[in-house]
Amino acid sequence: MNASPTHGFINHLVVYTLVLIGLSGSVGLGAVWLRHQISLAANASRVLDARIADVERNLAETTTAVETERDPNILLRRDTEWHLGLVPPNEAQIVHVNEDPVMRLAAKRNRAVFGEGPGQVAVAFPLAAQR
Amino acid sequence: MSKGFASNYRVVLLAVAICLCFGGLGARLVELHVFDRDEYLPVIDRARRQIIVESARRGDILDDRGNILATSQSMIVLGVDPQAVRPGDEKKWPELAELTGLSLAEITKKFLTKTRGGPAEPFAIQVTKPTGPAPAAAAGDDDDAEVDDPADANGERPIRWEKLCDDVAESTYAKIRGLDIQGVYGNRVYRRVYPHNSLAAHVIGYVNKSGAAVDGIERYADFYLHGRDGWREGERDGRGHEIAQFRTRDVPAADGYSVTLSLDLGVQHIVEQELDLIAQKFQPQKATIIVSDPRTGFILALANYPTFDLNEYNKVPRDDMRAMRDVAITDQYEPGSCFKIVAIAGALNENLVTPQTSFDCSINQIEYEGRVRGLPREDQSDHFKMLTVAQITARSSNRGAAQLAMLMGDQRFYDYARAFGFGQLTGFPLPGEIDGTLLPPNKWDALTITRMPMGHSVDATALQMQMAMGVIASGGYLLRPQVIREIRDTNGRLVYSYDTVVKRRVISEQTARTMARLLMGVASTQGTAPTAAIPNYEVAGKTGTAQKIIDGHYSEHHHVASFIGFFPASRPQVAISVIVDDADAHALNGVAYGTSVAAPSFKHIGEQLIQYLGINPVYAPAGPSLVMGGNRP
């Protein structure tokens, strides 16, 4: 027995409706999955941001701790505690060369070359000195 | 084709049912989104939308060598949501009390007090600071912030956040999180930390706990330092966590710029150590030491006694609040004999005298502008008769200085005093500077022209005196004192660089050189301050011993002792001011003279600076030598 045209139409309608619902559902699920992936990515990004901020915070803390330890008063205390005996240099330890060191060294060398001693006349070469 | 399962009746029923379902859903959606939109939208906004403020990190303050003088560190403000507290966590409370430093009774009270009376403002969009993993609540820099829900019918408001303690370190907070007490969480805030405590306290200034810059460079450079907070607008889930994918706006925070000062940590430490020694030895009322580069006007160190710890600014007792004042710029004093440089330099610059011009310093009175004026007495009058200008300078003759000023005349002397920077602000970039006192000639009395040249009837700040001496050291220029070297952004790029600012030429270069030579006589055996002399170095300077005005009269027992100078005189590299106020009680013979109180400190600081800054003595010209070029065979 052949189906009437009405039944055929209804059957098609039901099938198409189910297919449409299925497709819509799939698209919906796909969208949900996509949004979930976006959410995961956004959360991962947020976690990374937080971790970077944590590292920066720890870095700042460490830098502050290091700077605190470099305070002159603390260094002096450490010097005492650890018996290092470090002291700043003083004037008595330093010999000032109150003349041009190049000329001084040159004169010293020339004295050795020419055997200049007491009673000998010092000879100057102004042009050489100007160079 | 088969008939299939569908009969007319079933198919129609199914179709109607599906249509009814979809129609019902559609109708409900239309009702919610169109008709009831205005009713529900605010509720949803309140429940889900949020704005998270991202605090900008305040920039660092560095010294000239890159040492950190002030920085920002993240701390935790710890709180509890009493509504979320579980009874099962009660056994962990003692451990929490130990970690936070609170008593168990306090913890118990805060945990068990779940409501408070009085109305609360209804919620708008909730603004939160970045928080830990627990539910966010509004608790930022305002330490006492409390976040409650609206009041119930009895007028009681459930407490949603009660502060436990602030300034919890990250490591301690990690331990607290490890206890896993539900409802206990913290909000991160930046707190200002000063790694060197009281070092350069008056220059750096401080930021209070609410984040307001109160004093010093912190306040002056706040525009550059504070940065700009960022914010994120988005939604949160039922647990209060941000739903990251629903961020609609994200404005990142812009951290503050770093400010590099001209201060040098080492020089500052040397200066503060010397101040400690002065304080121990003389127990003065106050004291100031300034070290600057006279060629540029940049300050290398500035310290005052008494001082305070920047990290504990809020613990300074009320009676000791004066310790927080930068007296180098906020307090004035009569400079005494240091002021004589104005009269001497002015007279030399006007070619009225030469260093060899003599004055009779034995006379008590002198006629000036048709009237006989009494001259001030000398400290060592038996030694002073005819003195040259060089001797007047070296021996600090009051009468000699008075005669030099009278030679110049009222107006010209006043003009030179102004030109040296007295009676006006120096332009130093710290708040609270005063301009001192320098009255114009039309307000002088008959004795002013004889007293002002010796530093009476005039008031100056320590910084004004430093810069006035700097005129001679710099070759005749009055420079603006500066303490900020440059400003850099977070990537280290230069934003602004400060350079030397010449305010005016005061005296000629020749006069400045002559003055430097004359001032070298002060720190010699013939001068008033042989105690300031540094072997192998040309020290130029001037002592000052000014009587203080007590109850309207100059006191014989209260003095301001000072020595202001620079070296090497022929090629100045540092200028140093040492000013000690009221050290008489512990000074030799009960009088705090500049030569016995301030000059030795000048020398002590100078000797250390020679090593630290690598200052070489000025070489004597080389004598004839036997020189030969070429290589030695």
Side-chain angles (χ1 to χ4, degrees):
Chain A
M1 184 180 165
N2 291 332
S4 70
T6 309
H7 286 166
F9 170 74
I10 294 297
N11 283 349
H12 279 110
L13 185 66
V14 170
V15 168
Y16 290 145
T17 304
L18 289 174
V19 168
L20 190 65
I21 289 170
L23 277 175
S24 304
S26 301
V27 169
L29 281 174
V32 168
W33 179 83
L34 205 61
R35 293 187 73 160
H36 180 64
Q37 292 304 310
I38 291 169
S39 162
L40 288 179
N43 277 330
S45 162
R46 195 184 62 173
V47 169
L48 279 176
D49 271 350
R51 202 178 295 168
I52 290 168
D54 265 345
V55 170
E56 282 176 355
R57 269 198 300 272
N58 289 332
L59 198 63
E61 256 193 72
T62 310
T63 306
T64 309
V66 169
E67 195 60 45
T68 306
E69 286 299 311
R70 287 174 59 194
D71 180 66
N73 287 317
I74 291 182
L75 292 177
L76 284 172
R77 205 175 65 214
R78 295 266 184 271
D79 179 42
T80 310
E81 284 170 0
W82 297 341
H83 307 292
L84 298 177
L86 300 174
V87 290
N90 61 53
E91 191 65 14
Q93 295 170 291
I94 296 166
V95 176
H96 290 283
V97 179
N98 293 322
E99 57 189 301
D100 185 344
V102 175
M103 302 292 279
R104 181 189 167 97
L105 289 172
K108 188 178 169 187
R109 190 190 66 183
N110 291 345
R111 272 198 300 274
V113 171
F114 294 111
E116 185 186 334
Q120 289 184 295
V121 179
V123 182
F125 296 93
L127 288 178
Q130 283 170 15
R131 265 208 303 270
Chain B
M1 187 177 172
S2 68
K3 187 178 176 186
F5 74 93
S7 67
N8 278 344
Y9 166 73
R10 284 176 181 160
V11 167
V12 170
L13 193 64
L14 182 63
V16 168
I18 289 171
C19 286
L20 279 177
C21 286
F22 277 101
L25 282 172
R28 180 64 177 154
L29 283 173
V30 169
E31 184 192 5
L32 290 174
H33 284 269
V34 178
F35 297 110
D36 296 340
R37 177 186 172 84
D38 293 341
E39 183 184 345
Y40 289 116
L41 200 59
V43 178
I44 294 164
D45 267 350
R46 272 206 306 272
R48 302 197 63 175
R49 285 191 66 202
Q50 66 173 358
I51 294 173
I52 298 175
V53 177
E54 254 188 290
S55 299
R57 185 178 180 276
R58 192 175 174 82
D60 293 342
I61 299 177
L62 312 167
D63 83 340
D64 201 25
R65 297 180 190 236
N67 297 303
I68 297 173
L69 300 175
T71 188
S72 293
Q73 193 176 330
S74 126
M75 299 274 189
I76 312 294
V77 177
L78 192 71
V80 61
D81 176 0
Q83 312 301 326
V85 171
R86 289 180 304 209
D89 288 336
E90 198 169 339
K91 58 181 182 297
K92 301 173 186 169
W93 293 358
E95 208 171 337
L96 178 67
E98 195 178 329
L99 285 169
T100 55
L102 296 170
S103 67
L104 184 59
E106 280 177 289
I107 293 271
T108 308
K109 187 182 171 192
K110 285 174 189 281
F111 275 51
L112 297 182
T113 308
K114 294 184 184 292
T115 58
R116 66 168 59 88
E121 291 295 320
F123 272 8
I125 295 173
Q126 197 170 69
V127 178
T128 62
K129 293 275 182 180
T131 62
D141 281 342
D142 182 0
D143 293 346
D144 296 323
E146 293 161 341
V147 179
D148 303 342
D149 282 341
D152 61 13
N154 300 324
E156 290 288 314
R157 290 179 293 126
I159 300 171
R160 297 309 304 266
W161 199 85
E162 180 73 34
K163 191 181 83 174
L164 292 174
C165 58
D166 52 11
D167 294 352
V168 177
E170 290 276 349
S171 51
T172 310
Y173 184 59
K175 289 178 189 167
I176 291 170
R177 297 293 310 163
L179 292 176
D180 192 27
I181 303 175
Q182 189 170 312
V184 174
Y185 58 93
N187 295 297
R188 285 197 172 85
V189 291
Y190 282 117
R191 290 277 190 249
R192 208 61 171 156
V193 178
Y194 303 94
H196 302 290
N197 303 312
S198 63
L199 205 75
H202 296 106
V203 176
I204 297 169
Y206 62 94
V207 174
N208 67 17
K209 290 206 169 182
S210 64
V214 177
D215 207 358
I217 288 297
E218 291 276 25
R219 182 169 157 195
Y220 176 77
D222 189 46
F223 175 77
Y224 295 105
L225 286 166
H226 71 65
R228 190 194 64 225
D229 286 351
W231 52 279
R232 292 197 305 270
E233 191 177 344
E235 295 183 13
R236 61 183 170 188
D237 63 16
R239 294 181 171 186
H241 294 164
E242 184 193 11
I243 307 172
Q245 72 268 30
F246 290 151
R247 286 180 188 172
T248 50
R249 287 194 185 89
D250 191 350
V251 179
D255 290 343
Y257 294 165
S258 64
V259 173
T260 303
L261 305 184
S262 58
L263 292 188
D264 185 304
L265 191 68
V267 180
Q268 185 73 28
H269 177 66
I270 289 169
V271 163
E272 298 207 4
Q273 268 192 323
E274 193 60 34
L275 270 179
D276 286 344
L277 288 176
I278 290 172
Q280 281 173 22
K281 193 172 176 185
F282 298 110
Q283 296 177 20
Q285 201 176 53
K286 58 190 176 189
T288 296
I289 298 179
I290 304 171
V291 179
S292 69
D293 182 341
R295 299 161 297 182
T296 61
F298 280 101
I299 303 293
L300 302 178
L302 188 156
N304 301 303
Y305 166 83
T307 186
F308 66 105
D309 186 342
L310 287 170
N311 291 312
E312 299 188 341
Y313 70 88
N314 52 346
K315 294 179 184 168
V316 176
R318 186 172 290 274
D319 294 341
D320 294 336
M321 292 291 271
R322 67 190 177 96
M324 301 176 84
R325 283 212 328 265
D326 185 0
V327 294
I329 58 169
T330 62
D331 284 19
Q332 60 184 13
Y333 72 105
E334 287 198 347
S337 294
C338 291
F339 195 78
K340 284 173 186 161
I341 59 171
V342 176
I344 300 165
L348 285 170
N349 199 53
E350 294 291 319
N351 293 319
L352 300 174
V353 294
T354 67
Q356 284 74 43
T357 308
S358 295
F359 290 88
D360 186 357
C361 297
S362 62
I363 54 175
N364 296 324
Q365 293 179 322
I366 194 167
E367 188 182 330
Y368 175 67
E369 292 183 345
R371 290 178 62 183
V372 175
R373 318 281 176 116
L375 289 173
R377 64 184 169 83
E378 302 279 19
D379 290 333
Q380 298 164 310
S381 56
D382 53 328
H383 296 159
F384 294 171
K385 290 176 183 169
M386 290 300 290
L387 294 181
T388 63
V389 172
Q391 289 169 323
I392 288 170
T393 311
R395 298 187 190 181
S396 194
S397 165
N398 295 335
R399 291 173 183 170
Q403 291 180 68
L404 285 169
M406 284 188 272
L407 207 59
M408 294 167 71
D410 291 0
Q411 187 61 46
R412 205 154 38 162
F413 177 64
Y414 170 78
D415 290 343
Y416 268 97
R418 289 283 299 179
F420 268 89
F422 294 101
Q424 55 200 290
L425 298 176
T426 63
F428 192 56
L430 290 186
E433 188 190 12
I434 59 167
D435 54 5
T437 308
L438 177 67
L439 297 175
N442 59 8
K443 293 187 178 173
W444 291 4
D445 62 24
L447 286 178
T448 303
I449 188 63
T450 63
R451 299 304 189 267
M452 191 181 282
M454 57 183 268
H456 285 191
S457 309
V458 59
D459 292 311
T461 64
L463 190 61
Q464 280 177 332
M465 281 311 305
Q466 171 84 359
M467 300 320 290
M469 186 59 81
V471 168
I472 296 164
S474 66
Y477 293 107
L478 179 68
L479 304 177
R480 181 179 170 182
Q482 297 191 87
V483 74
I484 300 179
R485 188 78 76 179
E486 59 187 26
I487 293 166
R488 290 182 180 274
D489 69 10
T490 46
N491 297 316
R493 282 190 297 261
L494 188 66
V495 174
Y496 194 82
S497 176
Y498 289 79
D499 205 356
T500 302
V501 177
V502 177
K503 295 175 88 171
R504 68 182 80 94
R505 175 173 275 287
V506 181
I507 53 176
S508 68
E509 195 174 349
Q510 178 59 41
T511 305
R513 273 206 298 269
T514 306
M515 274 302 294
R517 209 170 61 244
L518 296 184
L519 290 173
M520 280 172 63
V522 175
S524 69
T525 49
Q526 286 78 41
T528 54
T531 46
I534 302 173
N536 296 326
Y537 285 84
E538 305 166 328
V539 171
K542 189 74 195 76
T543 50
T545 308
Q547 291 171 285
K548 292 182 72 175
I549 297 176
I550 307 288
D551 298 330
H553 301 286
Y554 282 108
S555 168
E556 296 287 336
H557 308 292
H558 300 276
H559 294 84
V560 177
S562 56
F563 187 87
I564 301 167
F566 56 90
F567 71 92
S570 55
R571 198 188 55 212
Q573 286 185 259
V574 285
I576 306 170
S577 293
V578 180
I579 297 159
V580 185
D581 187 341
D582 211 348
D584 298 67
H586 296 83
L588 196 66
N589 301 326
V591 179
Y593 288 109
T595 185
S596 58
V597 173
S601 289
F602 175 94
K603 179 187 177 183
H604 194 211
I605 293 169
E607 284 174 336
Q608 293 177 79
L609 292 183
I610 286 168
Q611 312 304 334
Y612 183 74
L613 299 175
I615 301 171
N616 292 319
V618 176
Y619 289 117
S625 308
L626 184 61
V627 176
M628 191 175 100
N631 294 324
R632 189 177 177 181

PDB file of all heavy atoms in Angstrom, chain B residues 220-237:
ATOM      1  N   TYR B 220      57.781  65.710  45.938  1.00  0.00           N
ATOM      2  CA  TYR B 220      58.103  66.596  44.819  1.00  0.00           C
ATOM      3  C   TYR B 220      57.968  65.868  43.478  1.00  0.00           C
ATOM      4  O   TYR B 220      57.429  66.409  42.511  1.00  0.00           O
ATOM      5  CB  TYR B 220      59.529  67.128  44.983  1.00  0.00           C
ATOM      6  CG  TYR B 220      59.967  67.987  43.818  1.00  0.00           C
ATOM      7  CD1 TYR B 220      59.516  69.297  43.688  1.00  0.00           C
ATOM      8  CD2 TYR B 220      60.797  67.470  42.828  1.00  0.00           C
ATOM      9  CE1 TYR B 220      59.886  70.069  42.611  1.00  0.00           C
ATOM     10  CE2 TYR B 220      61.173  68.239  41.742  1.00  0.00           C
ATOM     11  CZ  TYR B 220      60.720  69.536  41.639  1.00  0.00           C
ATOM     12  OH  TYR B 220      61.080  70.298  40.562  1.00  0.00           O
ATOM     13  N   ALA B 221      58.466  64.629  43.432  1.00  0.00           N
ATOM     14  CA  ALA B 221      58.458  63.891  42.168  1.00  0.00           C
ATOM     15  C   ALA B 221      57.299  62.895  42.094  1.00  0.00           C
ATOM     16  O   ALA B 221      57.350  61.938  41.318  1.00  0.00           O
ATOM     17  CB  ALA B 221      59.794  63.167  41.990  1.00  0.00           C
ATOM     18  N   ASP B 222      56.272  63.127  42.895  1.00  0.00           N
ATOM     19  CA  ASP B 222      55.143  62.185  42.940  1.00  0.00           C
ATOM     20  C   ASP B 222      54.507  61.995  41.559  1.00  0.00           C
ATOM     21  O   ASP B 222      54.083  60.893  41.199  1.00  0.00           O
ATOM     22  CB  ASP B 222      54.104  62.692  43.942  1.00  0.00           C
ATOM     23  CG  ASP B 222      53.022  61.666  44.193  1.00  0.00           C
ATOM     24  OD1 ASP B 222      53.367  60.498  44.398  1.00  0.00           O
ATOM     25  OD2 ASP B 222      51.830  62.033  44.163  1.00  0.00           O
ATOM     26  N   PHE B 223      54.483  63.051  40.792  1.00  0.00           N
ATOM     27  CA  PHE B 223      53.886  62.988  39.456  1.00  0.00           C
ATOM     28  C   PHE B 223      54.552  61.900  38.608  1.00  0.00           C
ATOM     29  O   PHE B 223      53.884  61.166  37.872  1.00  0.00           O
ATOM     30  CB  PHE B 223      54.021  64.356  38.783  1.00  0.00           C
ATOM     31  CG  PHE B 223      53.550  64.381  37.356  1.00  0.00           C
ATOM     32  CD1 PHE B 223      52.203  64.405  37.057  1.00  0.00           C
ATOM     33  CD2 PHE B 223      54.462  64.367  36.306  1.00  0.00           C
ATOM     34  CE1 PHE B 223      51.764  64.414  35.743  1.00  0.00           C
ATOM     35  CE2 PHE B 223      54.035  64.383  34.992  1.00  0.00           C
ATOM     36  CZ  PHE B 223      52.684  64.403  34.709  1.00  0.00           C
ATOM     37  N   TYR B 224      55.868  61.800  38.719  1.00  0.00           N
ATOM     38  CA  TYR B 224      56.599  60.799  37.944  1.00  0.00           C
ATOM     39  C   TYR B 224      56.581  59.435  38.631  1.00  0.00           C
ATOM     40  O   TYR B 224      56.575  58.403  37.976  1.00  0.00           O
ATOM     41  CB  TYR B 224      58.054  61.237  37.757  1.00  0.00           C
ATOM     42  CG  TYR B 224      58.201  62.486  36.933  1.00  0.00           C
ATOM     43  CD1 TYR B 224      58.515  63.696  37.532  1.00  0.00           C
ATOM     44  CD2 TYR B 224      58.011  62.465  35.552  1.00  0.00           C
ATOM     45  CE1 TYR B 224      58.636  64.858  36.788  1.00  0.00           C
ATOM     46  CE2 TYR B 224      58.129  63.624  34.801  1.00  0.00           C
ATOM     47  CZ  TYR B 224      58.439  64.805  35.425  1.00  0.00           C
ATOM     48  OH  TYR B 224      58.554  65.948  34.685  1.00  0.00           O
ATOM     49  N   LEU B 225      56.609  59.454  39.966  1.00  0.00           N
ATOM     50  CA  LEU B 225      56.782  58.200  40.700  1.00  0.00           C
ATOM     51  C   LEU B 225      55.511  57.361  40.777  1.00  0.00           C
ATOM     52  O   LEU B 225      55.576  56.125  40.737  1.00  0.00           O
ATOM     53  CB  LEU B 225      57.252  58.508  42.130  1.00  0.00           C
ATOM     54  CG  LEU B 225      58.704  58.944  42.300  1.00  0.00           C
ATOM     55  CD1 LEU B 225      58.920  59.528  43.693  1.00  0.00           C
ATOM     56  CD2 LEU B 225      59.649  57.776  42.082  1.00  0.00           C
ATOM     57  N   HIS B 226      54.347  58.010  40.883  1.00  0.00           N
ATOM     58  CA  HIS B 226      53.172  57.231  41.303  1.00  0.00           C
ATOM     59  C   HIS B 226      52.618  56.300  40.219  1.00  0.00           C
ATOM     60  O   HIS B 226      51.953  55.320  40.530  1.00  0.00           O
ATOM     61  CB  HIS B 226      52.076  58.123  41.876  1.00  0.00           C
ATOM     62  CG  HIS B 226      51.378  58.984  40.872  1.00  0.00           C
ATOM     63  ND1 HIS B 226      50.609  58.485  39.868  1.00  0.00           N
ATOM     64  CD2 HIS B 226      51.329  60.318  40.723  1.00  0.00           C
ATOM     65  CE1 HIS B 226      50.119  59.471  39.156  1.00  0.00           C
ATOM     66  NE2 HIS B 226      50.553  60.604  39.642  1.00  0.00           N
ATOM     67  N   GLY B 227      52.872  56.610  38.963  1.00  0.00           N
ATOM     68  CA  GLY B 227      52.342  55.753  37.904  1.00  0.00           C
ATOM     69  C   GLY B 227      50.841  55.921  37.751  1.00  0.00           C
ATOM     70  O   GLY B 227      50.234  56.822  38.335  1.00  0.00           O
ATOM     71  N   ARG B 228      50.242  55.037  36.958  1.00  0.00           N
ATOM     72  CA  ARG B 228      48.798  55.138  36.727  1.00  0.00           C
ATOM     73  C   ARG B 228      48.179  53.763  36.891  1.00  0.00           C
ATOM     74  O   ARG B 228      48.594  52.796  36.247  1.00  0.00           O
ATOM     75  CB  ARG B 228      48.543  55.658  35.308  1.00  0.00           C
ATOM     76  CG  ARG B 228      47.089  56.045  35.034  1.00  0.00           C
ATOM     77  CD  ARG B 228      46.833  56.217  33.565  1.00  0.00           C
ATOM     78  NE  ARG B 228      47.025  54.946  32.859  1.00  0.00           N
ATOM     79  CZ  ARG B 228      47.686  54.807  31.730  1.00  0.00           C
ATOM     80  NH1 ARG B 228      48.234  55.838  31.162  1.00  0.00           N
ATOM     81  NH2 ARG B 228      47.818  53.623  31.157  1.00  0.00           N
ATOM     82  N   ASP B 229      47.195  53.663  37.788  1.00  0.00           N
ATOM     83  CA  ASP B 229      46.530  52.373  38.011  1.00  0.00           C
ATOM     84  C   ASP B 229      45.819  51.915  36.746  1.00  0.00           C
ATOM     85  O   ASP B 229      45.286  52.727  35.991  1.00  0.00           O
ATOM     86  CB  ASP B 229      45.509  52.491  39.147  1.00  0.00           C
ATOM     87  CG  ASP B 229      46.179  52.570  40.503  1.00  0.00           C
ATOM     88  OD1 ASP B 229      47.401  52.370  40.555  1.00  0.00           O
ATOM     89  OD2 ASP B 229      45.476  52.834  41.492  1.00  0.00           O
ATOM     90  N   GLY B 230      45.798  50.613  36.537  1.00  0.00           N
ATOM     91  CA  GLY B 230      45.038  50.057  35.432  1.00  0.00           C
ATOM     92  C   GLY B 230      43.750  49.434  35.952  1.00  0.00           C
ATOM     93  O   GLY B 230      43.513  49.400  37.156  1.00  0.00           O
ATOM     94  N   TRP B 231      42.910  48.955  35.064  1.00  0.00           N
ATOM     95  CA  TRP B 231      41.679  48.311  35.507  1.00  0.00           C
ATOM     96  C   TRP B 231      41.149  47.363  34.440  1.00  0.00           C
ATOM     97  O   TRP B 231      41.441  47.516  33.250  1.00  0.00           O
ATOM     98  CB  TRP B 231      40.615  49.337  35.890  1.00  0.00           C
ATOM     99  CG  TRP B 231      40.341  50.379  34.846  1.00  0.00           C
ATOM    100  CD1 TRP B 231      41.070  51.495  34.616  1.00  0.00           C
ATOM    101  CD2 TRP B 231      39.270  50.387  33.890  1.00  0.00           C
ATOM    102  NE1 TRP B 231      40.529  52.213  33.590  1.00  0.00           N
ATOM    103  CE2 TRP B 231      39.423  51.561  33.121  1.00  0.00           C
ATOM    104  CE3 TRP B 231      38.212  49.526  33.619  1.00  0.00           C
ATOM    105  CZ2 TRP B 231      38.554  51.887  32.096  1.00  0.00           C
ATOM    106  CZ3 TRP B 231      37.343  49.857  32.600  1.00  0.00           C
ATOM    107  CH2 TRP B 231      37.517  51.023  31.849  1.00  0.00           C
ATOM    108  N   ARG B 232      40.415  46.359  34.919  1.00  0.00           N
ATOM    109  CA  ARG B 232      39.797  45.393  34.008  1.00  0.00           C
ATOM    110  C   ARG B 232      38.313  45.337  34.317  1.00  0.00           C
ATOM    111  O   ARG B 232      37.919  45.247  35.468  1.00  0.00           O
ATOM    112  CB  ARG B 232      40.391  43.995  34.223  1.00  0.00           C
ATOM    113  CG  ARG B 232      41.817  43.840  33.819  1.00  0.00           C
ATOM    114  CD  ARG B 232      42.171  42.360  33.665  1.00  0.00           C
ATOM    115  NE  ARG B 232      41.881  41.586  34.863  1.00  0.00           N
ATOM    116  CZ  ARG B 232      42.750  41.405  35.848  1.00  0.00           C
ATOM    117  NH1 ARG B 232      43.950  41.956  35.771  1.00  0.00           N
ATOM    118  NH2 ARG B 232      42.447  40.684  36.900  1.00  0.00           N
ATOM    119  N   GLU B 233      37.520  45.395  33.262  1.00  0.00           N
ATOM    120  CA  GLU B 233      36.081  45.269  33.442  1.00  0.00           C
ATOM    121  C   GLU B 233      35.687  43.914  32.882  1.00  0.00           C
ATOM    122  O   GLU B 233      36.120  43.530  31.787  1.00  0.00           O
ATOM    123  CB  GLU B 233      35.358  46.387  32.694  1.00  0.00           C
ATOM    124  CG  GLU B 233      33.895  46.476  33.038  1.00  0.00           C
ATOM    125  CD  GLU B 233      33.217  47.641  32.334  1.00  0.00           C
ATOM    126  OE1 GLU B 233      33.937  48.526  31.835  1.00  0.00           O
ATOM    127  OE2 GLU B 233      31.985  47.637  32.268  1.00  0.00           O
ATOM    128  N   GLY B 234      34.884  43.166  33.628  1.00  0.00           N
ATOM    129  CA  GLY B 234      34.499  41.847  33.153  1.00  0.00           C
ATOM    130  C   GLY B 234      33.453  41.227  34.052  1.00  0.00           C
ATOM    131  O   GLY B 234      32.693  41.946  34.710  1.00  0.00           O
ATOM    132  N   GLU B 235      33.422  39.906  34.063  1.00  0.00           N
ATOM    133  CA  GLU B 235      32.423  39.201  34.866  1.00  0.00           C
ATOM    134  C   GLU B 235      33.114  38.217  35.783  1.00  0.00           C
ATOM    135  O   GLU B 235      34.248  37.821  35.543  1.00  0.00           O
ATOM    136  CB  GLU B 235      31.441  38.457  33.948  1.00  0.00           C
ATOM    137  CG  GLU B 235      30.606  39.401  33.099  1.00  0.00           C
ATOM    138  CD  GLU B 235      29.579  38.644  32.257  1.00  0.00           C
ATOM    139  OE1 GLU B 235      29.355  37.449  32.525  1.00  0.00           O
ATOM    140  OE2 GLU B 235      29.022  39.261  31.349  1.00  0.00           O
ATOM    141  N   ARG B 236      32.376  37.803  36.812  1.00  0.00           N
ATOM    142  CA  ARG B 236      32.923  36.809  37.727  1.00  0.00           C
ATOM    143  C   ARG B 236      31.908  35.690  37.880  1.00  0.00           C
ATOM    144  O   ARG B 236      30.700  35.892  37.660  1.00  0.00           O
ATOM    145  CB  ARG B 236      33.228  37.446  39.068  1.00  0.00           C
ATOM    146  CG  ARG B 236      32.002  38.003  39.706  1.00  0.00           C
ATOM    147  CD  ARG B 236      32.284  38.703  40.984  1.00  0.00           C
ATOM    148  NE  ARG B 236      31.073  39.403  41.401  1.00  0.00           N
ATOM    149  CZ  ARG B 236      31.012  40.241  42.397  1.00  0.00           C
ATOM    150  NH1 ARG B 236      32.081  40.504  43.072  1.00  0.00           N
ATOM    151  NH2 ARG B 236      29.884  40.822  42.715  1.00  0.00           N
ATOM    152  N   ASP B 237      32.430  34.543  38.311  1.00  0.00           N
ATOM    153  CA  ASP B 237      31.528  33.395  38.483  1.00  0.00           C
ATOM    154  C   ASP B 237      30.922  33.411  39.885  1.00  0.00           C
ATOM    155  O   ASP B 237      31.129  34.346  40.661  1.00  0.00           O
ATOM    156  CB  ASP B 237      32.273  32.087  38.183  1.00  0.00           C
ATOM    157  CG  ASP B 237      33.425  31.859  39.150  1.00  0.00           C
ATOM    158  OD1 ASP B 237      33.450  32.526  40.197  1.00  0.00           O
ATOM    159  OD2 ASP B 237      34.290  31.024  38.850  1.00  0.00           O
TER     160      ASP B 237
END
